[in-house]
Amino acid sequence: MKRRSLLGRAGLAGVLAAGVAPAVHAQPTVRWRLASSFPRSLDTLFGAAEFFAARVKALSGGRFEVQAHEPDTLLTAFGVVEGVGSGAAEMAHTATYYFSEKNPVFALGCAVPFGLNSRQLTAWMLEGNGLKLMREFYAGYHIVNFPGGNTGAQMGGWFRKEVRSASDLHGLRFRIAGFASLLMERMGAEPVNLPAAQIYAALEKGHIDAAEWVGPYDDQKLGFVKVAPYYYYPGFWEGSTQFDFFVNQRAWNSLSGEHKAIVEAAAAQTHVQVQAKYDALNPGALKQLVASGAKLRPFPADVLADAFKHANDIYAETSAKNEQFRRIYADMARFRADQNLWFRFTEATFDRFMQAQKL
Amino acid sequence: MKRRSLLGRAGLAGVLAAGVAPAVHAQPTVRWRLASSFPRSLDTLFGAAEFFAARVKALSGGRFEVQAHEPDTLLTAFGVVEGVGSGAAEMAHTATYYFSEKNPVFALGCAVPFGLNSRQLTAWMLEGNGLKLMREFYAGYHIVNFPGGNTGAQMGGWFRKEVRSASDLHGLRFRIAGFASLLMERMGAEPVNLPAAQIYAALEKGHIDAAEWVGPYDDQKLGFVKVAPYYYYPGFWEGSTQFDFFVNQRAWNSLSGEHKAIVEAAAAQTHVQVQAKYDALNPGALKQLVASGAKLRPFPADVLADAFKHANDIYAETSAKNEQFRRIYADMARFRADQNLWFRFTEATFDRFMQAQKL
């Protein structure tokens, strides 16, 4: 069993001359605080921060510790950009479209209406220009970001009444996050952004008429089926939703090369684990929700067609006003066109055949 | 800049009392050899082993080195089960369905006809029983395995002549790997297993009539379009194909907890990177292949229907003879039924809408 520990100048010569190390318990040399935007009750999302922290600890032999904090214990759910940028916390785990009112570019690395699906978004990040372009943007906030999970295509949310056509969205008070709020406004709805913990009560009291969160597993925990039973799909504004780890730029620069590699690998491991967890847990939750009274409904065709038209208008208008948005969205849109060209052949025909079988 | 090195008994007290370490260049304390089943010319696949090795080196601060070897320099492409099991190499990177003639269980962790798509297979591995069950199986070969990449849904391969119905497969000499060979036999074809480097010549000389490999990017490198222009989809026997890292059991047991975590994280990072690389590269290659004369064709409906029936017969027969196969396949099949129930709602409707748009 070879173990390592800190090596001081004083002991260097003796240590280099010495043989195999005994087992020693390392003291942490780096201690970071991570602010999650998600409550502990969402084990998928708060769990992602805890999973990351456990990997960092294991990979560093206990020399690098990250402590995950719930909202309002270190930073607020929506206070992580300022909090990490200023160094009030070294890290955060969040969904960056929460901050699209600061700048719509925040949404491009997370989820935008009619964007990339989960695999496509990861491919754009890791092997396209996605992560590179988003990092240039985050540098302006003193943040270095790492993809840290994806939900897959989300459901379209819980509605107290059926949506029979696009006109049923007029005047609808809809809890929805991110850049999609603009789209809902164009469609005549009244978007409201609320953190997870406040949605159920707002829906129950009739302060809002509908709410979208993620998908069956998370939504079941939040109890929406009891107060708004119509469960719509697809969530066309979140064909997939990426979470990110934020790291304060100065804290990042202070890390050794080894600890930088550890943050990157632990984030990548979290990224794949979160999507796997959603995929594994959603089917069972969907069945339970249907048994509890959820009424699954596809959005009417005119809702999707109208939304697609409005979304493209918004992209054109935003691009005309915001050069950084224009440049990053254009890169994503080119990538998306190629991805959907390719996915329609073997991926789509395989999936469609399997979904049509009695399995 | 904090750096670490080996710590000897002799220097322990002095070192613990000392302060921050100076920068020292660590000597590797663990040196492993990895045998890839893939030639260096396939940068996706041999590249996966090199990516893994680079991550291990970075994560360990240079103390753990893995050297990737091409086939026939350390082990043969198909000799990695015995080679890693015996310790002739500490590691390998391979597609385990190559070994389904030893035992069809090998195919279950890689690709089987009408199996799981890429996200579903990863979810079964990481958050279902997949990896746990496969590890129990590999223990019998003195191997510990780690998922190490996925291609996504593969193409159905290159044919010298068009396939107009299931009867056109009769007598067809088809290069195909893994458990799918059994299926092709049932459908009247003559399956042949050849490693990558030998396929093109066999196709050119007419020793085989058709060959499947992976998808546009890898297939383009192997040049098949020049000798067999009909390019079929979907590759229903590889709805996704997982690669695995093999680690010799004794070598694994000799690692510190920290180095075990490093192998696991580097493998996970490779797993996500390989799928991203395939997704990013395939669209461009597909366009170039079509420009070079590839004729894209969907398999006729009777081919898929016949194949699905034969595949289920093979699963039933194999399960009756092989208890370990029965148990693992049954677990996968339960998982698959749930996955396809769920994916047909929001994932499929989102993807279908996007694929139908002019993007």
Side-chain angles (χ1 to χ4, degrees):
Chain A
M1 294 291 284
K2 293 173 184 176
R3 293 281 184 138
R4 307 181 238 139
S5 184
L6 269 181
L7 173 67
R9 272 178 203 281
L12 181 61
V15 165
L16 290 178
V20 172
V24 290
H25 289 289
Q27 296 298 310
T29 58
V30 180
R31 279 204 184 87
W32 278 8
R33 293 152 304 166
L34 182 156
S36 173
S37 289
F38 311 105
R40 190 178 293 272
S41 58
L42 293 170
D43 63 304
T44 42
L45 292 177
F46 190 78
E50 292 188 311
F51 180 87
F52 171 84
R55 299 326 302 152
V56 168
K57 188 171 179 180
L59 286 163
S60 67
R63 287 173 208 84
F64 187 174
E65 282 195 359
V66 178
Q67 180 75 43
H69 294 260
E70 285 196 276
D72 304 321
T73 62
L74 174 61
L75 300 175
T76 62
F78 296 155
V80 296
V81 174
E82 290 78 7
V84 173
S86 71
E90 289 82 5
M91 287 191 73
H93 187 243
T94 193
T96 63
Y97 61 10
Y98 289 146
F99 314 108
S100 55
E101 284 183 20
K102 294 182 202 296
N103 188 330
V105 173
F106 277 102
L108 292 172
C110 176
V112 292
F114 305 103
L116 300 164
N117 74 20
S118 179
R119 267 175 54 188
Q120 295 168 350
L121 185 50
T122 295
W124 183 55
M125 286 289 155
L126 301 184
E127 294 281 338
N129 297 320
L131 187 56
K132 177 180 162 287
L133 292 167
M134 291 307 296
R135 284 203 175 152
E136 289 170 13
F137 170 72
Y138 284 118
Y141 295 85
H142 312 294
I143 286 169
V144 184
N145 69 306
F146 298 83
N150 193 308
T151 59
Q154 296 198 2
M155 291 290 287
W158 301 86
F159 291 71
R160 289 156 60 106
K161 294 183 185 159
E162 274 194 271
V163 176
R164 294 179 188 278
S165 75
S167 61
D168 285 350
L169 297 177
H170 295 170
L172 190 100
R173 289 160 302 171
F174 189 18
R175 184 277 166 194
I176 188 165
F179 200 53
S181 302
L182 292 181
L183 175 58
M184 285 297 152
E185 264 174 14
R186 297 283 171 105
M187 297 180 77
E190 295 175 22
V192 182
N193 190 6
L194 294 171
Q198 299 172 30
I199 304 173
Y200 181 87
L203 209 51
E204 190 185 26
K205 289 174 188 158
H207 296 165
I208 55 176
D209 305 304
E212 62 89 52
W213 179 247
V214 174
Y217 183 75
D218 287 343
D219 291 4
Q220 187 182 29
K221 285 183 178 281
L222 298 178
F224 303 141
V225 66
K226 285 176 269 179
V227 286
Y230 296 100
Y231 198 20
Y232 276 85
Y233 65 89
F236 49 84
W237 54 92
E238 304 191 62
S240 80
T241 302
Q242 178 178 297
F243 304 103
D244 275 84
F245 290 106
F246 283 171
V247 178
N248 170 270
Q249 179 74 63
R250 242 195 323 261
W252 174 251
N253 291 341
S254 76
L255 291 182
S256 66
E258 192 174 336
H259 281 178
K260 283 179 177 164
I262 284 172
V263 169
E264 192 181 35
Q269 200 172 349
T270 307
H271 189 65
V272 63
Q273 200 81 32
V274 168
Q275 182 64 77
K277 188 162 176 174
Y278 273 112
D279 288 341
L281 292 171
N282 275 327
L286 181 70
K287 287 195 249 184
Q288 288 173 11
L289 284 167
V290 169
S292 311
K295 297 173 203 309
L296 285 167
R297 296 284 186 275
F299 278 119
D302 69 337
V303 169
L304 271 84
D306 278 16
F308 188 66
K309 186 196 153 299
H310 285 302
N312 287 331
D313 290 346
I314 293 170
Y315 293 136
E317 293 162 25
T318 310
S319 294
K321 288 184 295 198
N322 181 329
E323 170 57 20
Q324 206 165 16
F325 184 92
R326 187 198 63 72
R327 204 162 61 92
I328 304 179
Y329 178 73
D331 189 86
M332 174 191 271
R334 271 192 303 273
F335 196 86
R336 181 182 62 179
D338 274 356
Q339 289 295 302
N340 283 302
L341 170 71
W342 159 236
F343 270 67
R344 75 163 60 93
F345 290 102
T346 200
E347 288 289 344
T349 55
F350 178 75
D351 283 348
R352 198 175 309 136
F353 181 85
M354 294 308 292
Q355 289 164 12
Q357 305 313 307
K358 197 167 174 247
L359 293 170
Chain B
M1 294 293 286
K2 292 173 183 175
R3 294 280 183 138
R4 305 182 240 140
S5 182
L6 271 180
L7 174 67
R9 271 178 203 281
L12 182 60
V15 166
L16 290 179
V20 172
V24 291
H25 288 287
Q27 295 298 311
T29 59
V30 181
R31 279 203 183 86
W32 278 8
R33 291 153 305 167
L34 182 156
S36 173
S37 290
F38 310 105
R40 190 178 293 272
S41 59
L42 294 170
D43 62 304
T44 43
L45 292 176
F46 191 77
E50 291 188 312
F51 181 88
F52 171 84
R55 299 326 302 153
V56 168
K57 189 172 179 180
L59 286 162
S60 67
R63 287 174 207 84
F64 187 174
E65 282 195 0
V66 178
Q67 179 76 42
H69 294 260
E70 286 196 274
D72 304 321
T73 62
L74 175 61
L75 300 175
T76 62
F78 296 156
V80 297
V81 174
E82 291 77 8
V84 173
S86 70
E90 289 84 5
M91 287 191 73
H93 186 244
T94 193
T96 63
Y97 61 11
Y98 290 146
F99 315 108
S100 56
E101 283 184 21
K102 295 182 200 297
N103 189 328
V105 173
F106 276 101
L108 292 172
C110 177
V112 292
F114 304 103
L116 300 165
N117 74 19
S118 178
R119 268 175 55 187
Q120 295 168 349
L121 184 51
T122 296
W124 184 54
M125 286 289 155
L126 301 184
E127 293 282 338
N129 297 320
L131 187 55
K132 178 180 161 289
L133 292 168
M134 290 308 296
R135 284 203 174 151
E136 289 171 14
F137 170 72
Y138 284 118
Y141 294 86
H142 313 294
I143 287 169
V144 184
N145 70 307
F146 298 84
N150 194 306
T151 60
Q154 297 199 1
M155 291 291 288
W158 301 85
F159 291 70
R160 289 157 60 105
K161 294 184 186 159
E162 275 194 90
V163 177
R164 295 178 188 280
S165 76
S167 62
D168 285 348
L169 297 177
H170 294 170
L172 190 98
R173 289 160 301 170
F174 190 18
R175 185 276 167 195
I176 189 166
F179 200 52
S181 303
L182 293 180
L183 175 58
M184 284 297 152
E185 265 174 14
R186 296 286 171 105
M187 297 180 78
E190 294 175 23
V192 182
N193 190 6
L194 293 171
Q198 298 172 29
I199 304 173
Y200 180 86
L203 209 49
E204 190 185 26
K205 290 175 187 157
H207 296 165
I208 55 177
D209 304 304
E212 63 89 53
W213 179 247
V214 173
Y217 183 75
D218 287 343
D219 293 3
Q220 187 182 27
K221 286 182 178 284
L222 298 178
F224 304 141
V225 67
K226 286 177 269 179
V227 286
Y230 296 100
Y231 198 19
Y232 276 86
Y233 62 90
F236 49 83
W237 53 93
E238 302 190 65
S240 81
T241 303
Q242 178 178 296
F243 304 103
D244 274 83
F245 289 106
F246 283 171
V247 179
N248 171 270
Q249 179 74 63
R250 240 194 325 259
W252 175 252
N253 291 342
S254 75
L255 292 181
S256 67
E258 192 174 337
H259 281 177
K260 283 178 176 164
I262 284 173
V263 168
E264 192 181 36
Q269 200 171 348
T270 306
H271 188 66
V272 65
Q273 200 80 31
V274 168
Q275 182 65 77
K277 188 164 177 174
Y278 273 112
D279 288 341
L281 292 172
N282 275 327
L286 181 70
K287 287 195 250 184
Q288 289 173 9
L289 285 167
V290 169
S292 312
K295 297 173 201 310
L296 285 167
R297 296 284 185 276
F299 278 119
D302 69 337
V303 168
L304 271 83
D306 277 19
F308 188 67
K309 186 196 154 297
H310 285 303
N312 286 331
D313 290 347
I314 293 170
Y315 293 135
E317 293 162 24
T318 310
S319 294
K321 289 184 293 198
N322 180 330
E323 170 57 18
Q324 208 165 13
F325 184 92
R326 187 198 63 72
R327 205 162 60 91
I328 303 178
Y329 178 73
D331 189 86
M332 173 191 273
R334 270 192 304 274
F335 196 85
R336 181 182 60 178
D338 274 357
Q339 290 294 303
N340 283 302
L341 170 71
W342 159 236
F343 270 67
R344 74 162 60 95
F345 290 102
T346 199
E347 288 289 345
T349 55
F350 178 75
D351 282 347
R352 198 175 309 136
F353 181 84
M354 293 307 292
Q355 289 164 11
Q357 305 313 306
K358 197 169 174 249
L359 293 170

